[in-house]
């Protein structure tokens, strides 16, 4: 073959090869697509997010991993359209994908069955049975031994803690935020953006709190004290009552103890996975064997039978030896739980043991993502507590157990220099340093933020400061500046109080009020000496004071306000006009002392004068049956009060205490006495009252609040000095009052009252299809009053010297009772009750039923 022919042959071969390769490439390109997929990967049993899961396209090396929330995103050009998911301890998962568009997927990986102690357990979607289940037998052995490792079985126990609480704006998108006018003048905020160590999301810190302290425990006689050596806080919620916030947060983020039956958290009660009745509430699965430290442990998974109930999903890591020691626990809340505002929650605790098998907690880490709606980014909150220097020796200063307060804060705690925090702050991956204090200082230099904070302070606390810093006097409460009633017409009031900046022990408080209709000035002047040095305001817990007060004002008979001022502007809207109002002048000298163990007692000396009004005449009955205007009566009284409320938890505002929990009983006893002739007293008078309040938890079926009271007036006195039930004329649901009763509808000299309210926490609604997605909760209440009137105080029997009863007053021949059925959690903030009277339905001008409502925050 000559060169020319050879060249032609090679050219032909090249052309054929090029055509073949081009065609093959076209065929390859025709088979490749742009594959897009994103979604979340979770544990099929516990529903918890699975981080670091391998996600790939089958048959290729293209892949990614999930983040801390179990989220992944994958985009690639490939001929493979099958998604593969793989993680140690779980079955591999494969899913065909669409070749066009985004594939949004949620994948639930099923744990692999492992052989544990010669027993094979196969978790999954198959029928679950407690009988003969090795996982149930395993957890029962853990439950049996839960108290054996308790460090509080020792005579003494102490440990140091470093605690950090932080709140932040969650998933803070800097790009979006820079478009918002709110941040345009505060672009320095973007310098403080941080990253959540748990979720990996960007967060903007808003509040940070650090506490360093030591806890001392003595078994007998029982005593536990915590000494705070360092305390600092900074952030947006500084404007709220400090002690109130601390009390509230301590209850919301209460330290979890899984070795008890019930776990207080978010002001609810969760069933512990190690509760004695746990196998009736949870499904348990033996999932894997893992090494925790140098010990081989069983991974015990658990999930509630009912995913809407107050329980947990998670894992317990238990040593595979005869001790069944819990080395680590991880808790999450079920996805469908009827719990408000909580989008995600995780709790992790680590334990070590001594040579004697005593349990030592080393870490307690809780992370919560709060949101108003499922689509809002909400807030990020975290509480980390690290434990160290455990000891079973008596403290060097045993007198610490003689302190009255359970928490003792040293004088230097809030003044510690930065070098103290650098030396004592525990350096771990869980602890994140923040610059909230510096950011707040910059924000307060901005006029808009400065005045917004001032206005918020007045709205929340009710008082306005009179100087930029260290205000000596504050004006308020703001909600009483203007109000109204049938006697005064429009009522104007101005007042205020001294602050701790003037004195931490001497206080003055008072107001002046004027009615546009009655054209009468009223007022109140109070002087108080506190034996305790107050930190922020006069009514801080605990009370220990000597007080003198002089007051002249109106008295709305038959209406008592438990948690607000009588002239609160928001109380003006009522279901009927109340004209049963008198004038009253009181002069009081009182002593009261509260103790940390729950005891409180006081003695009060009072002189009062009450004047009749046209709507409430005091018509004194003469021997001939006629009446004459009495005008007024006087009484000089001594009152003894005793109160016992162990472990009481409440939110303390400037003027009122709002109960947080009623787990322990609250018992009260009071007696008032007066003798005719004392400082002009017109009558002998003795009255005794006793009361009880208590909450009973019925996990997992909600809780019941009970309130009971009884009392008696022992002497013959006119009706203003008798016992008049508390009528609620507002449309709001108020405790210890009667929704459909009128003021002075009944007058007694002895009585028994009760109120029973059952909060079912969604126990019924959670089982109804469709309804359960509304996350509503049920409430049922039954309240009543049964009183009597002896002949000596009955103006229709032994009338001489008594006052004629008002025309709307009735004698009781049976209990007054009303009940209500309601729904809580409407739009997550509203409670609606339908109430109806069960007795005395024929009384004119009184409603027999009605709807009442209340704004109620609950998790």
């Amino acid at each position: 073959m000559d060169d020319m022919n050879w060249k032609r042959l090679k050219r032909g071969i090249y052309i054929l090869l090029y055509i073949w390769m081009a065609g093959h490439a076209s065929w390859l390109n025709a088979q490749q697509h742009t594959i897009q997929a994103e979604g979340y990967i979770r544990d099929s049993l516990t529903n918890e997010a699975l981080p670091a899961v391998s996600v790939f396209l089958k048959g290729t090396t293209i892949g990614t991993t999930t983040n801390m929330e179990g989220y992944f995103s994958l985009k690639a050009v490939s001929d493979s359209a099958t998604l593969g998911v793989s993680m140690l301890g779980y079955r591999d998962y494969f899913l065909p994908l669409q070749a066009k568009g985004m594939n949004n997927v949620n994948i639930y990986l099923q744990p692999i069955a492992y052989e544990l102690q010669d027993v094979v357990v196969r978790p999954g979607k198959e029928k679950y049975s407690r009988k003969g289940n090795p996982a149930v037998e395993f957890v029962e052995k853990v439950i049996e031994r839960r108290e054996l490792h308790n460090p509080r079985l020792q005579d003494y126990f102490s440990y140091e803690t470093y605690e950090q609480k932080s709140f932040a704006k969650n998933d803070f998108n800097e790009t979006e935020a820079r478009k918002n006018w709110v941040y345009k003048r505060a672009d320095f905020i973007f310098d403080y953006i941080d990253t959540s160590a748990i979720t990996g999301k960007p967060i903007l810190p808003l509040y940070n709190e650090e506490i360093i302290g030591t806890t001392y425990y003595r078994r007998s006689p029982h005593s536990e004290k915590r000494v705070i050596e360092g305390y600092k806080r900074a952030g947006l919620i500084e404007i709220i009552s400090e002690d109130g916030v601390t009390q509230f947060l301590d209850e919301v983020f209460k330290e979890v103890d899984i070795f008890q039956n019930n776990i207080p958290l978010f002001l609810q009660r969760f069933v512990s996975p190690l509760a004695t009745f746990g196998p009736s509430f949870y499904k348990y699965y033996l999932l894997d064997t893992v090494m925790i430290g140098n010990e081989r442990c069983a991974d015990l998974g658990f999930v509630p039978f009912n995913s809407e109930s107050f329980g947990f999903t998670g894992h317990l890591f238990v040593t595979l030896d005869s001790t069944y020691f819990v080395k680590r626990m991880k808790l999450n809340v079920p996805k469908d739980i009827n719990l408000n505002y909580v989008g995600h929650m995780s709790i992790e605790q680590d334990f070590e043991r001594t040579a004697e098998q005593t349990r030592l907690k080393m870490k307690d880490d809780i992370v919560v993502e709060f949101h108003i709606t499922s689509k809002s980014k909400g807030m990020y909150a975290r509480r980390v507590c690290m434990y160290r220097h455990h000891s079973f020796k008596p403290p060097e200063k045993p007198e610490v157990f003689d302190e009255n307060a359970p928490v003792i804060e040293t004088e230097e705690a809030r003044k510690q220099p930065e070098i103290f925090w650098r030396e004592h702050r525990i350096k771990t991956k869980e602890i994140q340093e923040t610059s909230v204090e510096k950011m707040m200082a910059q924000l307060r230099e901005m006029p808009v933020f400065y005045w917004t904070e001032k206005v918020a302070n007045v709205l929340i606390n009710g008082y306005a400061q009179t100087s930029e810093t260290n205000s000596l006097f504050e004006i308020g409460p703001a909600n009483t500046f203007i109000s109204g009633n049938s006697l005064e017409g429009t009522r104007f009031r101005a007042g205020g109080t001294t602050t701790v900046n003037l004195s931490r022990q001497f206080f003055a408080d008072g107001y002046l009020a004027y009615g546009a209709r009655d054209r009468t000035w009223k007022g109140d002047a109070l002087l108080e000496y506190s034996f305790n040095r107050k930190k922020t305001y006069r009514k801080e817990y605990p009370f220990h004071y000597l007080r003198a007060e002089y007051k002249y004002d109106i008295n709305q008979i038959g209406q008592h306000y438990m948690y607000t001022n009588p002239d609160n502007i928001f109380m003006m809207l009522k279901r009927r006009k109340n004209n049963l109002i008198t004038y009253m002048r009181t002069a009081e000298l009182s002593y009261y002392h509260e103790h940390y163990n729950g005891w409180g007692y006081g003695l009060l000396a009072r002189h009062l004068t009450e004047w009749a009004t046209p709507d409430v005449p005091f018509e004194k009955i003469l021997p001939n049956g006629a009446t004459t205007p009495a005008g007024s009566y006087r009484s000089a009284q001594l009152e003894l009060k005793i109160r016992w409320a162990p472990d009481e938890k409440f939110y303390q505002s400037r003027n009122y205490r709002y109960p947080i929990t009623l787990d322990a009983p609250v018992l009260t006893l009071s007696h008032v006495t007066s003798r005719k002739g004392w400082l002009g007293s017109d009558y002998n008078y003795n009255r005794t009252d006793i009361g009880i309040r208590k909450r009973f938890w019925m996990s997992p079926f909600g809780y019941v609040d009970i309130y009971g009271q009884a009392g008696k007036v022992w002497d013959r006195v006119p009706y203003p000095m008798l016992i008049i039930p508390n009528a609620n004329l507002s449309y709001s649901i108020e405790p210890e009052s009667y929704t459909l009763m009128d003021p002075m509808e009944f007058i007694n000299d002895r009585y028994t009252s009760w109120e029973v309210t059952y909060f079912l926490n969604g126990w019924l609604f959670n089982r109804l299809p469709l309804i359960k997605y509304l996350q509503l909760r049920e409430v049922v209440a039954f309240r009543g009053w049964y009183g009597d009137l002896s002949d000596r105080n009955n103006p229709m029997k032994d009338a001489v010297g008594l006052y004629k009863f008002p025309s709307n007053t009735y004698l009781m021949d049976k209990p007054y009772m009303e009940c209500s059925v309601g729904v809580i959690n409407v739009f997550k903030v509203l409670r609606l009750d339908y109430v109806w009277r069960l007795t005395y339905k024929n009384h004119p001008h009184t409603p027999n039923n009605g709807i009442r409502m209340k704004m109620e925050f609950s998790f």
Side-chain angles (χ1 to χ4, degrees), residues 477-485 490-491 493 561 564-574:
N479 60 8
T480 63
F481 289 162
I482 185 170
S483 60
N485 56 73
T490 303
R491 173 186 169 100
R493 170 174 157 172
Y561 297 90
T564 187
N565 311 86
D567 50 356
N568 185 340
I569 188 173
F570 300 107
M571 301 297 291
M572 291 178 61
L573 181 63
K574 300 181 184 296

PDB file of all heavy atoms in Angstrom, residues 477-485 490-491 493 561 564-574:
ATOM      1  N   PRO A 477     -48.270  53.241  89.773  1.00  0.00           N
ATOM      2  CA  PRO A 477     -48.312  52.411  88.563  1.00  0.00           C
ATOM      3  C   PRO A 477     -49.034  53.120  87.406  1.00  0.00           C
ATOM      4  O   PRO A 477     -50.043  53.808  87.626  1.00  0.00           O
ATOM      5  CB  PRO A 477     -49.085  51.164  88.996  1.00  0.00           C
ATOM      6  CG  PRO A 477     -49.119  51.195  90.490  1.00  0.00           C
ATOM      7  CD  PRO A 477     -49.073  52.621  90.868  1.00  0.00           C
ATOM      8  N   ALA A 478     -48.551  52.914  86.194  1.00  0.00           N
ATOM      9  CA  ALA A 478     -49.080  53.618  85.032  1.00  0.00           C
ATOM     10  C   ALA A 478     -50.516  53.211  84.704  1.00  0.00           C
ATOM     11  O   ALA A 478     -51.273  54.009  84.165  1.00  0.00           O
ATOM     12  CB  ALA A 478     -48.171  53.366  83.828  1.00  0.00           C
ATOM     13  N   ASN A 479     -50.909  51.973  85.036  1.00  0.00           N
ATOM     14  CA  ASN A 479     -52.260  51.519  84.673  1.00  0.00           C
ATOM     15  C   ASN A 479     -53.344  52.085  85.579  1.00  0.00           C
ATOM     16  O   ASN A 479     -54.522  51.767  85.421  1.00  0.00           O
ATOM     17  CB  ASN A 479     -52.331  49.990  84.664  1.00  0.00           C
ATOM     18  CG  ASN A 479     -51.997  49.372  86.011  1.00  0.00           C
ATOM     19  OD1 ASN A 479     -51.852  50.054  87.014  1.00  0.00           O
ATOM     20  ND2 ASN A 479     -51.870  48.056  86.027  1.00  0.00           N
ATOM     21  N   THR A 480     -52.955  52.926  86.555  1.00  0.00           N
ATOM     22  CA  THR A 480     -53.952  53.523  87.451  1.00  0.00           C
ATOM     23  C   THR A 480     -54.102  55.028  87.243  1.00  0.00           C
ATOM     24  O   THR A 480     -54.839  55.679  87.990  1.00  0.00           O
ATOM     25  CB  THR A 480     -53.574  53.263  88.922  1.00  0.00           C
ATOM     26  OG1 THR A 480     -52.323  53.913  89.210  1.00  0.00           O
ATOM     27  CG2 THR A 480     -53.440  51.773  89.197  1.00  0.00           C
ATOM     28  N   PHE A 481     -53.391  55.588  86.271  1.00  0.00           N
ATOM     29  CA  PHE A 481     -53.448  57.038  86.082  1.00  0.00           C
ATOM     30  C   PHE A 481     -54.867  57.528  85.803  1.00  0.00           C
ATOM     31  O   PHE A 481     -55.253  58.609  86.220  1.00  0.00           O
ATOM     32  CB  PHE A 481     -52.513  57.465  84.950  1.00  0.00           C
ATOM     33  CG  PHE A 481     -51.054  57.363  85.290  1.00  0.00           C
ATOM     34  CD1 PHE A 481     -50.089  57.350  84.290  1.00  0.00           C
ATOM     35  CD2 PHE A 481     -50.632  57.265  86.613  1.00  0.00           C
ATOM     36  CE1 PHE A 481     -48.747  57.247  84.602  1.00  0.00           C
ATOM     37  CE2 PHE A 481     -49.287  57.160  86.929  1.00  0.00           C
ATOM     38  CZ  PHE A 481     -48.340  57.154  85.924  1.00  0.00           C
ATOM     39  N   ILE A 482     -55.636  56.737  85.084  1.00  0.00           N
ATOM     40  CA  ILE A 482     -57.020  57.095  84.797  1.00  0.00           C
ATOM     41  C   ILE A 482     -57.874  55.832  84.794  1.00  0.00           C
ATOM     42  O   ILE A 482     -57.458  54.794  84.289  1.00  0.00           O
ATOM     43  CB  ILE A 482     -57.147  57.852  83.444  1.00  0.00           C
ATOM     44  CG1 ILE A 482     -58.572  58.319  83.227  1.00  0.00           C
ATOM     45  CG2 ILE A 482     -56.642  56.996  82.289  1.00  0.00           C
ATOM     46  CD1 ILE A 482     -58.712  59.273  82.040  1.00  0.00           C
ATOM     47  N   SER A 483     -59.041  55.909  85.422  1.00  0.00           N
ATOM     48  CA  SER A 483     -59.982  54.790  85.467  1.00  0.00           C
ATOM     49  C   SER A 483     -61.364  55.371  85.726  1.00  0.00           C
ATOM     50  O   SER A 483     -61.563  56.584  85.556  1.00  0.00           O
ATOM     51  CB  SER A 483     -59.580  53.769  86.541  1.00  0.00           C
ATOM     52  OG  SER A 483     -59.549  54.379  87.819  1.00  0.00           O
ATOM     53  N   GLY A 484     -62.299  54.545  86.148  1.00  0.00           N
ATOM     54  CA  GLY A 484     -63.638  55.053  86.386  1.00  0.00           C
ATOM     55  C   GLY A 484     -64.508  54.070  87.125  1.00  0.00           C
ATOM     56  O   GLY A 484     -64.272  52.863  87.098  1.00  0.00           O
ATOM     57  N   ASN A 485     -65.528  54.600  87.815  1.00  0.00           N
ATOM     58  CA  ASN A 485     -66.529  53.780  88.487  1.00  0.00           C
ATOM     59  C   ASN A 485     -67.789  54.607  88.673  1.00  0.00           C
ATOM     60  O   ASN A 485     -67.803  55.814  88.398  1.00  0.00           O
ATOM     61  CB  ASN A 485     -66.002  53.247  89.836  1.00  0.00           C
ATOM     62  CG  ASN A 485     -65.536  54.349  90.757  1.00  0.00           C
ATOM     63  OD1 ASN A 485     -66.347  55.086  91.321  1.00  0.00           O
ATOM     64  ND2 ASN A 485     -64.212  54.479  90.898  1.00  0.00           N
ATOM     65  N   THR A 490     -65.144  59.551  86.281  1.00  0.00           N
ATOM     66  CA  THR A 490     -63.757  59.422  85.838  1.00  0.00           C
ATOM     67  C   THR A 490     -62.830  59.681  87.018  1.00  0.00           C
ATOM     68  O   THR A 490     -62.985  60.676  87.732  1.00  0.00           O
ATOM     69  CB  THR A 490     -63.454  60.411  84.705  1.00  0.00           C
ATOM     70  OG1 THR A 490     -64.366  60.195  83.631  1.00  0.00           O
ATOM     71  CG2 THR A 490     -62.033  60.223  84.199  1.00  0.00           C
ATOM     72  N   ARG A 491     -61.888  58.778  87.208  1.00  0.00           N
ATOM     73  CA  ARG A 491     -60.974  58.854  88.352  1.00  0.00           C
ATOM     74  C   ARG A 491     -59.560  59.134  87.846  1.00  0.00           C
ATOM     75  O   ARG A 491     -59.067  58.448  86.931  1.00  0.00           O
ATOM     76  CB  ARG A 491     -61.003  57.549  89.143  1.00  0.00           C
ATOM     77  CG  ARG A 491     -59.969  57.439  90.281  1.00  0.00           C
ATOM     78  CD  ARG A 491     -60.030  56.046  90.879  1.00  0.00           C
ATOM     79  NE  ARG A 491     -58.923  55.776  91.788  1.00  0.00           N
ATOM     80  CZ  ARG A 491     -58.987  55.846  93.125  1.00  0.00           C
ATOM     81  NH1 ARG A 491     -60.142  56.193  93.686  1.00  0.00           N
ATOM     82  NH2 ARG A 491     -57.940  55.564  93.872  1.00  0.00           N
ATOM     83  N   ARG A 493     -55.503  59.584  89.012  1.00  0.00           N
ATOM     84  CA  ARG A 493     -54.609  59.198  90.105  1.00  0.00           C
ATOM     85  C   ARG A 493     -53.158  59.428  89.703  1.00  0.00           C
ATOM     86  O   ARG A 493     -52.766  59.169  88.562  1.00  0.00           O
ATOM     87  CB  ARG A 493     -54.829  57.731  90.467  1.00  0.00           C
ATOM     88  CG  ARG A 493     -53.797  57.159  91.428  1.00  0.00           C
ATOM     89  CD  ARG A 493     -54.149  55.750  91.852  1.00  0.00           C
ATOM     90  NE  ARG A 493     -52.971  55.016  92.303  1.00  0.00           N
ATOM     91  CZ  ARG A 493     -53.001  53.827  92.875  1.00  0.00           C
ATOM     92  NH1 ARG A 493     -54.162  53.208  93.069  1.00  0.00           N
ATOM     93  NH2 ARG A 493     -51.883  53.222  93.247  1.00  0.00           N
ATOM     94  N   TYR A 561     -59.622  42.175  94.621  1.00  0.00           N
ATOM     95  CA  TYR A 561     -58.717  42.003  93.488  1.00  0.00           C
ATOM     96  C   TYR A 561     -57.439  41.341  93.987  1.00  0.00           C
ATOM     97  O   TYR A 561     -56.719  41.874  94.829  1.00  0.00           O
ATOM     98  CB  TYR A 561     -58.422  43.353  92.850  1.00  0.00           C
ATOM     99  CG  TYR A 561     -59.660  43.996  92.275  1.00  0.00           C
ATOM    100  CD1 TYR A 561     -60.463  44.834  93.043  1.00  0.00           C
ATOM    101  CD2 TYR A 561     -60.050  43.736  90.961  1.00  0.00           C
ATOM    102  CE1 TYR A 561     -61.605  45.409  92.523  1.00  0.00           C
ATOM    103  CE2 TYR A 561     -61.193  44.306  90.429  1.00  0.00           C
ATOM    104  CZ  TYR A 561     -61.967  45.142  91.206  1.00  0.00           C
ATOM    105  OH  TYR A 561     -63.105  45.703  90.698  1.00  0.00           O
ATOM    106  N   THR A 564     -54.194  42.549  90.924  1.00  0.00           N
ATOM    107  CA  THR A 564     -54.156  43.821  90.231  1.00  0.00           C
ATOM    108  C   THR A 564     -54.718  44.903  91.133  1.00  0.00           C
ATOM    109  O   THR A 564     -55.288  44.626  92.192  1.00  0.00           O
ATOM    110  CB  THR A 564     -54.954  43.761  88.908  1.00  0.00           C
ATOM    111  OG1 THR A 564     -54.758  44.979  88.190  1.00  0.00           O
ATOM    112  CG2 THR A 564     -56.437  43.586  89.185  1.00  0.00           C
ATOM    113  N   ASN A 565     -54.572  46.165  90.713  1.00  0.00           N
ATOM    114  CA  ASN A 565     -55.118  47.285  91.456  1.00  0.00           C
ATOM    115  C   ASN A 565     -56.617  47.387  91.228  1.00  0.00           C
ATOM    116  O   ASN A 565     -57.108  47.117  90.138  1.00  0.00           O
ATOM    117  CB  ASN A 565     -54.455  48.589  90.990  1.00  0.00           C
ATOM    118  CG  ASN A 565     -52.947  48.492  90.940  1.00  0.00           C
ATOM    119  OD1 ASN A 565     -52.383  48.060  89.945  1.00  0.00           O
ATOM    120  ND2 ASN A 565     -52.290  48.876  92.011  1.00  0.00           N
ATOM    121  N   PRO A 566     -57.390  47.824  92.238  1.00  0.00           N
ATOM    122  CA  PRO A 566     -58.835  47.988  92.036  1.00  0.00           C
ATOM    123  C   PRO A 566     -59.164  49.031  90.974  1.00  0.00           C
ATOM    124  O   PRO A 566     -60.203  48.950  90.321  1.00  0.00           O
ATOM    125  CB  PRO A 566     -59.349  48.437  93.413  1.00  0.00           C
ATOM    126  CG  PRO A 566     -58.260  48.151  94.370  1.00  0.00           C
ATOM    127  CD  PRO A 566     -56.988  48.090  93.623  1.00  0.00           C
ATOM    128  N   ASP A 567     -58.289  50.026  90.814  1.00  0.00           N
ATOM    129  CA  ASP A 567     -58.544  51.076  89.829  1.00  0.00           C
ATOM    130  C   ASP A 567     -57.702  50.907  88.564  1.00  0.00           C
ATOM    131  O   ASP A 567     -57.337  51.873  87.900  1.00  0.00           O
ATOM    132  CB  ASP A 567     -58.321  52.472  90.430  1.00  0.00           C
ATOM    133  CG  ASP A 567     -56.983  52.581  91.152  1.00  0.00           C
ATOM    134  OD1 ASP A 567     -56.272  51.558  91.255  1.00  0.00           O
ATOM    135  OD2 ASP A 567     -56.659  53.678  91.618  1.00  0.00           O
ATOM    136  N   ASN A 568     -57.391  49.672  88.235  1.00  0.00           N
ATOM    137  CA  ASN A 568     -56.699  49.362  86.989  1.00  0.00           C
ATOM    138  C   ASN A 568     -57.611  49.736  85.815  1.00  0.00           C
ATOM    139  O   ASN A 568     -58.778  49.339  85.764  1.00  0.00           O
ATOM    140  CB  ASN A 568     -56.365  47.871  86.963  1.00  0.00           C
ATOM    141  CG  ASN A 568     -55.533  47.465  85.765  1.00  0.00           C
ATOM    142  OD1 ASN A 568     -55.472  48.158  84.759  1.00  0.00           O
ATOM    143  ND2 ASN A 568     -54.906  46.312  85.878  1.00  0.00           N
ATOM    144  N   ILE A 569     -57.086  50.475  84.866  1.00  0.00           N
ATOM    145  CA  ILE A 569     -57.891  50.922  83.729  1.00  0.00           C
ATOM    146  C   ILE A 569     -58.469  49.755  82.940  1.00  0.00           C
ATOM    147  O   ILE A 569     -59.549  49.848  82.356  1.00  0.00           O
ATOM    148  CB  ILE A 569     -57.054  51.838  82.804  1.00  0.00           C
ATOM    149  CG1 ILE A 569     -57.945  52.466  81.718  1.00  0.00           C
ATOM    150  CG2 ILE A 569     -55.886  51.076  82.183  1.00  0.00           C
ATOM    151  CD1 ILE A 569     -57.236  53.494  80.885  1.00  0.00           C
ATOM    152  N   PHE A 570     -57.763  48.618  82.953  1.00  0.00           N
ATOM    153  CA  PHE A 570     -58.224  47.465  82.182  1.00  0.00           C
ATOM    154  C   PHE A 570     -59.368  46.719  82.872  1.00  0.00           C
ATOM    155  O   PHE A 570     -59.922  45.782  82.302  1.00  0.00           O
ATOM    156  CB  PHE A 570     -57.057  46.513  81.916  1.00  0.00           C
ATOM    157  CG  PHE A 570     -55.934  47.154  81.150  1.00  0.00           C
ATOM    158  CD1 PHE A 570     -54.741  47.470  81.781  1.00  0.00           C
ATOM    159  CD2 PHE A 570     -56.079  47.471  79.805  1.00  0.00           C
ATOM    160  CE1 PHE A 570     -53.700  48.072  81.077  1.00  0.00           C
ATOM    161  CE2 PHE A 570     -55.048  48.068  79.099  1.00  0.00           C
ATOM    162  CZ  PHE A 570     -53.868  48.380  79.738  1.00  0.00           C
ATOM    163  N   MET A 571     -59.713  47.129  84.097  1.00  0.00           N
ATOM    164  CA  MET A 571     -60.815  46.489  84.814  1.00  0.00           C
ATOM    165  C   MET A 571     -62.115  47.280  84.677  1.00  0.00           C
ATOM    166  O   MET A 571     -63.118  46.941  85.308  1.00  0.00           O
ATOM    167  CB  MET A 571     -60.459  46.343  86.304  1.00  0.00           C
ATOM    168  CG  MET A 571     -59.221  45.527  86.585  1.00  0.00           C
ATOM    169  SD  MET A 571     -59.382  43.804  86.040  1.00  0.00           S
ATOM    170  CE  MET A 571     -60.592  43.224  87.210  1.00  0.00           C
ATOM    171  N   MET A 572     -62.110  48.318  83.856  1.00  0.00           N
ATOM    172  CA  MET A 572     -63.302  49.156  83.745  1.00  0.00           C
ATOM    173  C   MET A 572     -64.442  48.460  83.010  1.00  0.00           C
ATOM    174  O   MET A 572     -65.616  48.714  83.280  1.00  0.00           O
ATOM    175  CB  MET A 572     -62.950  50.471  83.026  1.00  0.00           C
ATOM    176  CG  MET A 572     -62.048  51.390  83.841  1.00  0.00           C
ATOM    177  SD  MET A 572     -61.604  52.891  82.929  1.00  0.00           S
ATOM    178  CE  MET A 572     -63.222  53.621  82.641  1.00  0.00           C
ATOM    179  N   LEU A 573     -64.120  47.578  82.073  1.00  0.00           N
ATOM    180  CA  LEU A 573     -65.163  46.878  81.313  1.00  0.00           C
ATOM    181  C   LEU A 573     -65.748  45.766  82.169  1.00  0.00           C
ATOM    182  O   LEU A 573     -65.074  44.823  82.541  1.00  0.00           O
ATOM    183  CB  LEU A 573     -64.577  46.306  80.023  1.00  0.00           C
ATOM    184  CG  LEU A 573     -65.567  45.565  79.116  1.00  0.00           C
ATOM    185  CD1 LEU A 573     -66.651  46.506  78.616  1.00  0.00           C
ATOM    186  CD2 LEU A 573     -64.840  44.917  77.944  1.00  0.00           C
ATOM    187  N   LYS A 574     -67.058  45.890  82.492  1.00  0.00           N
ATOM    188  CA  LYS A 574     -67.712  44.914  83.353  1.00  0.00           C
ATOM    189  C   LYS A 574     -69.030  44.472  82.731  1.00  0.00           C
ATOM    190  O   LYS A 574     -69.610  45.170  81.893  1.00  0.00           O
ATOM    191  CB  LYS A 574     -67.966  45.517  84.742  1.00  0.00           C
ATOM    192  CG  LYS A 574     -66.692  45.961  85.476  1.00  0.00           C
ATOM    193  CD  LYS A 574     -67.014  46.522  86.843  1.00  0.00           C
ATOM    194  CE  LYS A 574     -65.763  47.048  87.538  1.00  0.00           C
ATOM    195  NZ  LYS A 574     -64.801  45.987  87.803  1.00  0.00           N
TER     196      LYS A 574
END
